[in-house]
Amino acid sequence: MYVVLYQLAAQAPKVLTHGLLLQRVWVPEQVGEGWLPRDVVKELRRKLGDDAGNPRYIVTEPRVGYRMAAGDESKTDER
């Protein structure tokens, strides 16, 4: 699970596709298992206290993949 977080953080704010995450994190036999990245990101969000509807850390790019939020995206307006 934390390998996915590392991959997202190391490539931030670049989008990592579902396929690329599968190639980098899972064994070749699992590359066709598209649900794996979704389940891991869901668990990471739970552990980080991140909300998929209003993400602070992991942003979903619909039908593409995931990326870490840029520094200015993750800050809240504290006025």
Coordinates of all heavy atoms in Angstrom, one line a residue:
M1 N 0.8 -1.2 0.0 CA 0.0 0.0 0.0 C 0.9 1.3 0.0 O 0.6 2.2 -0.7 CB -0.9 0.0 1.2 CG -1.6 1.3 1.4 SD -2.7 1.4 2.8 CE -3.1 -0.2 3.3
Y2 N 1.9 1.3 0.8 CA 2.7 2.5 0.9 C 3.6 2.7 -0.3 O 4.1 3.8 -0.5 CB 3.5 2.5 2.2 CG 2.6 2.6 3.4 CD1 2.4 1.5 4.2 CD2 1.9 3.7 3.7 CE1 1.5 1.5 5.3 CE2 1.0 3.8 4.8 CZ 0.8 2.7 5.6 OH -0.1 2.7 6.6
V3 N 3.8 1.6 -1.1 CA 4.5 1.7 -2.3 C 3.7 2.6 -3.3 O 4.3 3.4 -4.0 CB 4.8 0.4 -2.9 CG1 5.5 0.5 -4.3 CG2 5.7 -0.5 -2.0
V4 N 2.4 2.5 -3.3 CA 1.6 3.4 -4.1 C 1.7 4.8 -3.7 O 1.9 5.7 -4.5 CB 0.1 2.9 -4.1 CG1 -0.8 3.9 -4.8 CG2 0.0 1.5 -4.7
L5 N 1.7 5.0 -2.4 CA 1.8 6.4 -1.8 C 3.2 7.0 -2.2 O 3.3 8.1 -2.7 CB 1.6 6.4 -0.3 CG 1.7 7.8 0.4 CD1 0.6 8.7 -0.1 CD2 1.5 7.6 1.9
Y6 N 4.2 6.2 -2.1 CA 5.5 6.6 -2.5 C 5.6 7.0 -4.0 O 6.1 8.0 -4.4 CB 6.6 5.5 -2.2 CG 7.9 5.8 -2.8 CD1 8.8 6.7 -2.2 CD2 8.3 5.3 -4.1 CE1 10.0 7.1 -2.8 CE2 9.5 5.6 -4.6 CZ 10.4 6.5 -4.0 OH 11.5 6.8 -4.6
Q7 N 5.0 6.1 -4.8 CA 5.0 6.4 -6.3 C 4.3 7.7 -6.6 O 4.8 8.5 -7.4 CB 4.3 5.2 -7.0 CG 5.1 4.0 -7.1 CD 6.4 4.1 -7.9 OE1 6.4 4.8 -8.9 NE2 7.4 3.4 -7.5
L8 N 3.2 7.9 -6.0 CA 2.4 9.2 -6.2 C 3.2 10.4 -5.7 O 3.3 11.4 -6.4 CB 1.1 9.1 -5.5 CG 0.0 8.1 -6.1 CD1 -1.1 8.0 -5.1 CD2 -0.4 8.6 -7.4
A9 N 3.8 10.3 -4.5 CA 4.6 11.4 -4.0 C 5.8 11.7 -4.8 O 6.2 12.8 -5.0 CB 5.0 11.1 -2.5
A10 N 6.5 10.6 -5.2 CA 7.7 10.8 -6.0 C 7.5 11.5 -7.4 O 8.4 12.1 -7.9 CB 8.4 9.5 -6.2
Q11 N 6.3 11.3 -7.9 CA 6.0 11.8 -9.2 C 5.1 13.1 -9.2 O 4.7 13.6 -10.2 CB 5.3 10.7 -10.1 CG 6.1 9.5 -10.3 CD 7.3 9.8 -11.2 OE1 7.3 10.5 -12.2 NE2 8.5 9.3 -10.8
A12 N 4.8 13.5 -8.0 CA 3.9 14.7 -7.8 C 4.4 15.9 -8.6 O 5.6 16.1 -8.6 CB 3.7 15.0 -6.3
P13 N 3.5 16.6 -9.2 CA 2.0 16.5 -9.3 C 1.6 15.7 -10.6 O 0.5 15.8 -11.0 CB 1.5 17.9 -9.3 CG 2.6 18.6 -10.1 CD 3.9 18.0 -9.7
K14 N 2.5 14.9 -11.2 CA 2.2 14.2 -12.4 C 1.2 13.1 -12.1 O 1.1 12.5 -11.1 CB 3.5 13.5 -12.9 CG 3.4 12.8 -14.1 CD 4.8 12.3 -14.5 CE 4.8 11.3 -15.6 NZ 6.1 10.7 -15.9
V15 N 0.3 12.9 -13.1 CA -0.7 11.9 -13.0 C -0.1 10.5 -13.3 O 0.6 10.4 -14.3 CB -1.9 12.1 -14.0 CG1 -2.9 11.0 -14.0 CG2 -2.6 13.5 -13.7
L16 N -0.4 9.5 -12.5 CA 0.0 8.2 -12.7 C -1.2 7.4 -13.1 O -2.2 7.3 -12.4 CB 0.7 7.5 -11.5 CG 2.0 8.2 -11.0 CD1 2.5 7.5 -9.8 CD2 3.0 8.2 -12.1
T17 N -1.2 6.8 -14.3 CA -2.3 6.0 -14.8 C -2.5 4.8 -14.0 O -1.6 4.3 -13.3 CB -2.2 5.7 -16.3 OG1 -1.1 4.8 -16.4 CG2 -2.0 6.9 -17.2
H18 N -3.7 4.2 -14.1 CA -4.0 2.9 -13.4 C -3.0 1.9 -13.9 O -2.4 1.1 -13.1 CB -5.4 2.5 -13.7 CG -6.4 3.4 -13.2 ND1 -7.2 4.2 -14.0 CD2 -6.9 3.6 -11.9 CE1 -8.0 4.9 -13.2 NE2 -7.8 4.5 -12.0
G19 N -2.8 1.8 -15.2 CA -1.8 0.8 -15.8 C -0.4 1.0 -15.3 O 0.3 0.1 -15.0
L20 N 0.0 2.3 -15.2 CA 1.4 2.5 -14.8 C 1.6 2.1 -13.3 O 2.6 1.5 -12.9 CB 1.8 4.0 -15.0 CG 3.2 4.4 -14.7 CD1 4.2 3.6 -15.5 CD2 3.4 5.9 -14.9
L21 N 0.6 2.4 -12.5 CA 0.6 2.0 -11.1 C 0.7 0.5 -11.0 O 1.5 -0.1 -10.2 CB -0.6 2.6 -10.3 CG -0.5 4.0 -9.9 CD1 -1.8 4.5 -9.3 CD2 0.6 4.2 -8.8
L22 N -0.1 -0.2 -11.8 CA -0.1 -1.6 -11.8 C 1.3 -2.2 -12.1 O 1.8 -3.1 -11.5 CB -1.2 -2.2 -12.7 CG -2.6 -2.2 -12.2 CD1 -3.6 -2.4 -13.3 CD2 -2.8 -3.2 -11.1
Q23 N 1.9 -1.6 -13.1 CA 3.2 -2.1 -13.6 C 4.3 -1.8 -12.5 O 5.2 -2.6 -12.3 CB 3.6 -1.4 -14.9 CG 2.9 -1.8 -16.1 CD 3.3 -1.0 -17.3 OE1 4.0 0.0 -17.2 NE2 2.8 -1.4 -18.5
R24 N 4.2 -0.7 -11.9 CA 5.3 -0.3 -10.9 C 5.1 -1.0 -9.6 O 6.1 -1.1 -8.8 CB 5.3 1.2 -10.7 CG 5.8 1.9 -11.9 CD 5.9 3.4 -11.6 NE 6.5 4.1 -12.7 CZ 6.7 5.4 -12.7 NH1 6.4 6.1 -11.7 NH2 7.2 6.0 -13.8
V25 N 3.9 -1.4 -9.2 CA 3.7 -1.8 -7.8 C 3.4 -3.3 -7.7 O 3.8 -4.0 -6.8 CB 2.5 -1.0 -7.2 CG1 2.2 -1.5 -5.8 CG2 2.9 0.5 -7.1
W26 N 2.6 -3.8 -8.7 CA 2.2 -5.2 -8.6 C 3.0 -6.1 -9.5 O 3.6 -5.7 -10.5 CB 0.7 -5.3 -8.9 CG -0.1 -4.8 -7.7 CD1 -0.5 -5.5 -6.6 CD2 -0.6 -3.5 -7.5 NE1 -1.2 -4.7 -5.7 CE2 -1.3 -3.5 -6.3 CE3 -0.6 -2.3 -8.3 CZ2 -1.9 -2.3 -5.8 CZ3 -1.2 -1.2 -7.8 CH2 -1.9 -1.2 -6.6
V27 N 2.9 -7.4 -9.3 CA 3.6 -8.4 -10.1 C 2.9 -8.5 -11.5 O 1.7 -8.2 -11.6 CB 3.6 -9.8 -9.4 CG1 4.4 -9.7 -8.2 CG2 2.2 -10.3 -9.1
P28 N 3.6 -8.9 -12.5 CA 3.0 -9.0 -13.9 C 1.7 -9.7 -14.0 O 0.8 -9.3 -14.7 CB 4.1 -9.7 -14.7 CG 5.4 -9.4 -14.0 CD 5.0 -9.3 -12.5
E29 N 1.5 -10.7 -13.2 CA 0.2 -11.5 -13.2 C -1.0 -10.7 -12.8 O -2.1 -11.0 -13.1 CB 0.3 -12.8 -12.3 CG 1.3 -13.8 -12.8 CD 2.8 -13.4 -12.4 OE1 3.0 -12.7 -11.4 OE2 3.7 -13.9 -13.2
Q30 N -0.7 -9.6 -12.1 CA -1.8 -8.8 -11.5 C -2.1 -7.5 -12.4 O -3.0 -6.7 -12.0 CB -1.5 -8.4 -10.1 CG -1.5 -9.5 -9.1 CD -1.1 -9.1 -7.7 OE1 -0.1 -8.4 -7.5 NE2 -2.0 -9.4 -6.8
V31 N -1.3 -7.3 -13.4 CA -1.4 -6.1 -14.2 C -2.8 -5.9 -14.8 O -3.3 -4.7 -14.9 CB -0.4 -6.0 -15.3 CG1 -0.6 -4.9 -16.3 CG2 1.0 -5.9 -14.7
G32 N -3.6 -6.9 -15.0 CA -4.9 -6.8 -15.6 C -6.0 -6.5 -14.5 O -7.2 -6.4 -14.8
E33 N -5.6 -6.5 -13.3 CA -6.5 -6.3 -12.1 C -6.7 -4.8 -11.9 O -6.2 -4.2 -10.9 CB -6.0 -7.0 -10.9 CG -5.7 -8.5 -11.1 CD -6.9 -9.3 -11.4 OE1 -8.0 -8.9 -10.9 OE2 -6.8 -10.4 -12.0
G34 N -7.6 -4.2 -12.6 CA -7.8 -2.7 -12.5 C -8.4 -2.3 -11.2 O -8.2 -1.1 -10.8
W35 N -9.0 -3.1 -10.4 CA -9.5 -2.8 -9.1 C -8.5 -2.5 -8.1 O -8.7 -1.9 -7.1 CB -10.5 -3.8 -8.7 CG -10.0 -5.2 -8.6 CD1 -10.0 -6.1 -9.6 CD2 -9.3 -5.8 -7.5 NE1 -9.3 -7.3 -9.1 CE2 -8.9 -7.1 -7.8 CE3 -9.0 -5.3 -6.2 CZ2 -8.3 -7.9 -7.0 CZ3 -8.4 -6.2 -5.3 CH2 -8.0 -7.5 -5.7
L36 N -7.3 -3.1 -8.3 CA -6.2 -3.0 -7.3 C -5.8 -1.6 -6.9 O -5.9 -1.2 -5.7 CB -5.0 -3.8 -7.7 CG -5.1 -5.3 -7.6 CD1 -3.9 -6.0 -8.3 CD2 -5.1 -5.7 -6.1
P37 N -5.5 -0.7 -7.9 CA -5.2 0.7 -7.5 C -6.3 1.4 -6.8 O -6.1 2.1 -5.9 CB -4.8 1.3 -8.8 CG -4.5 0.2 -9.8 CD -5.3 -0.9 -9.3
R38 N -7.5 1.2 -7.3 CA -8.7 1.8 -6.7 C -8.9 1.4 -5.2 O -9.1 2.3 -4.4 CB -10.0 1.5 -7.5 CG -10.0 2.2 -8.8 CD -11.4 2.0 -9.4 NE -11.7 0.7 -9.8 CZ -11.4 0.1 -10.9 NH1 -10.7 0.7 -11.8 NH2 -11.7 -1.2 -11.2
D39 N -8.7 0.2 -4.9 CA -8.9 -0.3 -3.5 C -7.8 0.2 -2.6 O -8.0 0.6 -1.5 CB -8.9 -1.8 -3.5 CG -10.2 -2.4 -3.8 OD1 -11.2 -1.6 -4.2 OD2 -10.4 -3.6 -3.7
V40 N -6.5 0.3 -3.2 CA -5.4 0.8 -2.4 C -5.5 2.3 -2.1 O -5.3 2.7 -1.0 CB -4.1 0.4 -3.0 CG1 -2.9 1.1 -2.4 CG2 -3.8 -1.1 -3.0
V41 N -5.9 3.0 -3.1 CA -6.1 4.5 -3.0 C -7.2 4.7 -2.0 O -7.1 5.6 -1.1 CB -6.4 5.2 -4.3 CG1 -6.8 6.6 -4.1 CG2 -5.1 5.2 -5.1
K42 N -8.3 3.9 -2.0 CA -9.4 4.1 -1.1 C -8.9 3.9 0.4 O -9.2 4.7 1.3 CB -10.5 3.1 -1.4 CG -11.7 3.1 -0.5 CD -12.7 2.1 -0.9 CE -13.9 2.1 0.0 NZ -14.9 1.1 -0.4
E43 N -8.1 2.9 0.6 CA -7.5 2.6 1.9 C -6.5 3.7 2.3 O -6.5 4.1 3.5 CB -6.8 1.2 1.9 CG -6.3 0.8 3.2 CD -7.4 0.5 4.3 OE1 -8.5 0.4 3.9 OE2 -7.0 0.5 5.5
L44 N -5.7 4.2 1.4 CA -4.8 5.2 1.7 C -5.5 6.5 2.1 O -5.2 7.2 3.1 CB -3.9 5.6 0.5 CG -2.7 4.6 0.3 CD1 -2.1 4.9 -1.1 CD2 -1.7 4.7 1.4
R45 N -6.6 6.8 1.4 CA -7.4 8.0 1.8 C -8.0 7.8 3.2 O -8.0 8.8 3.9 CB -8.5 8.2 0.8 CG -8.0 8.8 -0.5 CD -9.2 9.0 -1.5 NE -8.7 9.8 -2.6 CZ -9.2 9.6 -3.8 NH1 -10.1 8.7 -4.1 NH2 -8.7 10.4 -4.8
R46 N -8.5 6.6 3.5 CA -9.0 6.4 4.8 C -8.0 6.6 5.9 O -8.2 7.3 6.9 CB -9.6 5.0 4.9 CG -10.3 4.7 6.2 CD -10.7 3.2 6.3 NE -9.5 2.3 6.5 CZ -8.8 2.2 7.6 NH1 -9.1 2.9 8.7 NH2 -7.8 1.4 7.7
K47 N -6.8 6.1 5.7 CA -5.7 6.3 6.6 C -5.2 7.7 6.8 O -4.8 8.1 7.8 CB -4.5 5.4 6.3 CG -4.8 3.9 6.6 CD -3.6 3.0 6.3 CE -3.9 1.6 6.5 NZ -3.5 1.2 7.9
L48 N -5.2 8.4 5.7 CA -4.8 9.8 5.7 C -5.9 10.8 6.1 O -5.7 12.0 6.3 CB -4.3 10.3 4.3 CG -3.1 9.6 3.7 CD1 -2.9 9.9 2.3 CD2 -1.9 10.0 4.6
G49 N -7.1 10.3 6.2 CA -8.3 11.2 6.5 C -8.6 12.1 5.3 O -9.1 13.2 5.5
D50 N -8.4 11.6 4.2 CA -8.6 12.3 2.9 C -10.0 12.0 2.4 O -10.5 10.9 2.5 CB -7.6 12.0 1.9 CG -7.3 13.0 0.8 OD1 -7.8 14.2 1.0 OD2 -6.6 12.7 -0.2
D51 N -10.7 13.0 1.9 CA -12.0 12.9 1.3 C -11.9 12.9 -0.2 O -11.5 13.8 -0.8 CB -12.9 14.0 1.8 CG -14.3 14.0 1.2 OD1 -14.7 13.0 0.7 OD2 -14.9 15.1 1.3
A52 N -12.5 11.8 -0.8 CA -12.4 11.7 -2.3 C -13.2 12.8 -3.0 O -12.8 13.2 -4.0 CB -12.9 10.3 -2.7
G53 N -14.2 13.3 -2.3 CA -15.0 14.4 -2.9 C -14.3 15.7 -2.9 O -14.6 16.6 -3.7
N54 N -13.5 15.9 -1.9 CA -12.7 17.2 -1.7 C -11.3 16.8 -1.2 O -11.0 17.0 0.0 CB -13.5 18.0 -0.7 CG -12.9 19.4 -0.6 OD1 -12.2 19.9 -1.5 ND2 -13.1 20.1 0.5
P55 N -10.5 16.2 -2.1 CA -9.2 15.7 -1.7 C -8.2 16.7 -1.3 O -8.1 17.8 -1.9 CB -8.8 14.9 -2.9 CG -9.4 15.5 -4.0 CD -10.7 16.0 -3.5
R56 N -7.4 16.4 -0.3 CA -6.3 17.3 0.1 C -5.0 16.7 -0.4 O -4.0 17.4 -0.6 CB -6.2 17.4 1.6 CG -7.4 18.2 2.2 CD -7.3 18.4 3.7 NE -5.9 18.8 4.1 CZ -5.4 18.7 5.3 NH1 -6.1 18.1 6.2 NH2 -4.2 19.1 5.6
Y57 N -4.9 15.3 -0.5 CA -3.7 14.7 -0.8 C -3.7 13.9 -2.1 O -2.8 14.1 -3.0 CB -3.3 13.7 0.3 CG -3.3 14.3 1.7 CD1 -4.2 14.0 2.7 CD2 -2.3 15.3 2.0 CE1 -4.2 14.6 3.9 CE2 -2.3 15.9 3.2 CZ -3.2 15.5 4.2 OH -3.2 16.1 5.4
I58 N -4.6 13.0 -2.3 CA -4.7 12.2 -3.5 C -5.9 12.6 -4.4 O -7.0 12.5 -3.9 CB -4.8 10.7 -3.1 CG1 -3.6 10.3 -2.3 CG2 -4.8 9.8 -4.4 CD1 -3.6 8.9 -1.7
V59 N -5.6 13.0 -5.6 CA -6.6 13.5 -6.5 C -6.8 12.5 -7.5 O -5.9 11.9 -8.1 CB -6.1 14.9 -7.1 CG1 -7.2 15.3 -8.1 CG2 -5.8 15.9 -6.1
T60 N -8.1 12.2 -7.8 CA -8.5 11.3 -8.9 C -8.6 12.0 -10.2 O -9.3 13.1 -10.2 CB -9.8 10.6 -8.5 OG1 -9.7 9.9 -7.3 CG2 -10.3 9.6 -9.6
E61 N -8.0 11.5 -11.2 CA -8.2 12.0 -12.6 C -9.1 11.0 -13.2 O -8.7 9.9 -13.6 CB -6.9 12.2 -13.3 CG -6.0 13.2 -12.7 CD -6.5 14.7 -12.8 OE1 -7.4 14.9 -13.6 OE2 -6.1 15.5 -11.9
P62 N -10.4 11.3 -13.4 CA -11.4 10.3 -13.8 C -10.9 9.7 -15.1 O -10.5 10.3 -16.1 CB -12.6 11.2 -14.1 CG -12.5 12.3 -13.1 CD -11.0 12.6 -13.1
R63 N -11.1 8.3 -15.1 CA -10.7 7.5 -16.2 C -9.3 7.5 -16.6 O -8.9 7.0 -17.7 CB -11.6 7.8 -17.5 CG -13.1 7.5 -17.2 CD -13.9 7.8 -18.4 NE -15.3 7.7 -18.2 CZ -16.1 8.7 -17.7 NH1 -15.5 9.9 -17.5 NH2 -17.3 8.6 -17.5
V64 N -8.4 8.1 -15.8 CA -7.0 8.1 -16.1 C -6.2 7.5 -15.0 O -5.5 6.5 -15.2 CB -6.5 9.6 -16.3 CG1 -5.0 9.6 -16.6 CG2 -7.3 10.2 -17.5
G65 N -6.2 8.1 -13.8 CA -5.4 7.6 -12.7 C -5.5 8.5 -11.5 O -6.5 9.1 -11.2
Y66 N -4.4 8.6 -10.8 CA -4.3 9.4 -9.6 C -3.0 10.3 -9.6 O -2.1 10.0 -10.3 CB -4.2 8.5 -8.4 CG -5.4 7.6 -8.3 CD1 -5.3 6.3 -8.8 CD2 -6.6 8.0 -7.8 CE1 -6.4 5.4 -8.7 CE2 -7.7 7.2 -7.7 CZ -7.6 5.9 -8.2 OH -8.7 5.0 -8.2
R67 N -3.1 11.3 -8.8 CA -1.9 12.2 -8.6 C -2.0 12.8 -7.2 O -3.0 12.9 -6.6 CB -1.8 13.3 -9.6 CG -2.9 14.3 -9.5 CD -2.8 15.4 -10.6 NE -4.0 16.3 -10.6 CZ -4.2 17.3 -9.7 NH1 -3.3 17.6 -8.9 NH2 -5.3 18.0 -9.8
M68 N -0.8 13.2 -6.7 CA -0.7 13.9 -5.4 C -1.1 15.3 -5.7 O -0.7 15.9 -6.7 CB 0.6 13.8 -4.8 CG 1.0 12.4 -4.3 SD 0.0 11.8 -3.0 CE 0.6 12.8 -1.6
A69 N -1.8 15.9 -4.8 CA -2.2 17.3 -5.0 C -0.9 18.2 -4.9 O 0.0 17.9 -4.2 CB -3.2 17.7 -3.9
A70 N -0.9 19.2 -5.7 CA 0.2 20.2 -5.7 C 0.1 20.9 -4.4 O -0.9 21.0 -3.7 CB 0.1 21.1 -6.9
G71 N 1.2 21.5 -3.9 CA 1.3 22.1 -2.6 C 0.2 23.2 -2.4 O -0.4 23.3 -1.4
D72 N -0.1 24.0 -3.5 CA -1.1 25.0 -3.3 C -2.5 24.5 -3.3 O -3.4 25.1 -2.8 CB -0.9 26.1 -4.4 CG -1.0 25.5 -5.8 OD1 -0.9 24.3 -6.0 OD2 -1.1 26.3 -6.7
E73 N -2.7 23.3 -3.9 CA -4.0 22.6 -3.9 C -4.4 22.1 -2.5 O -5.5 22.1 -2.1 CB -4.0 21.5 -4.8 CG -4.2 21.8 -6.3 CD -4.3 20.5 -7.1 OE1 -5.4 20.0 -7.2 OE2 -3.2 20.0 -7.5
S74 N -3.4 21.6 -1.8 CA -3.7 21.0 -0.5 C -3.8 21.9 0.7 O -4.2 21.6 1.7 CB -2.6 20.0 -0.2 OG -1.3 20.6 0.0
K75 N -3.5 23.2 0.4 CA -3.7 24.2 1.5 C -5.1 24.7 1.5 O -5.7 24.9 0.5 CB -2.8 25.4 1.3 CG -1.3 25.0 1.4 CD -0.4 26.2 1.2 CE 1.0 25.8 1.2 NZ 1.9 26.8 0.8
T76 N -5.6 24.9 2.7 CA -7.0 25.4 2.9 C -6.9 26.9 3.0 O -5.9 27.5 3.6 CB -7.7 24.8 4.1 OG1 -6.9 25.0 5.2 CG2 -7.9 23.3 3.9
D77 N -8.0 27.6 2.7 CA -8.0 29.0 2.8 C -8.4 29.3 4.3 O -9.4 29.0 4.7 CB -9.1 29.6 1.9 CG -9.1 31.1 1.9 OD1 -8.1 31.7 2.3 OD2 -10.1 31.7 1.4
E78 N -7.4 30.0 5.0 CA -7.6 30.2 6.4 C -7.9 31.7 6.7 O -7.4 32.2 7.7 CB -6.4 29.7 7.2 CG -6.1 28.3 7.0 CD -4.9 27.8 7.7 OE1 -4.5 28.5 8.7 OE2 -4.4 26.7 7.4
R79 N -8.8 32.3 6.0 CA -9.2 33.7 6.3 C -10.3 33.7 7.3 O -11.1 33.0 7.5 CB -9.6 34.3 5.0 CG -8.5 34.6 4.1 CD -9.0 35.4 2.9 NE -8.3 34.9 1.7 CZ -8.5 35.4 0.6 NH1 -9.3 36.3 0.3 NH2 -7.8 34.9 -0.5

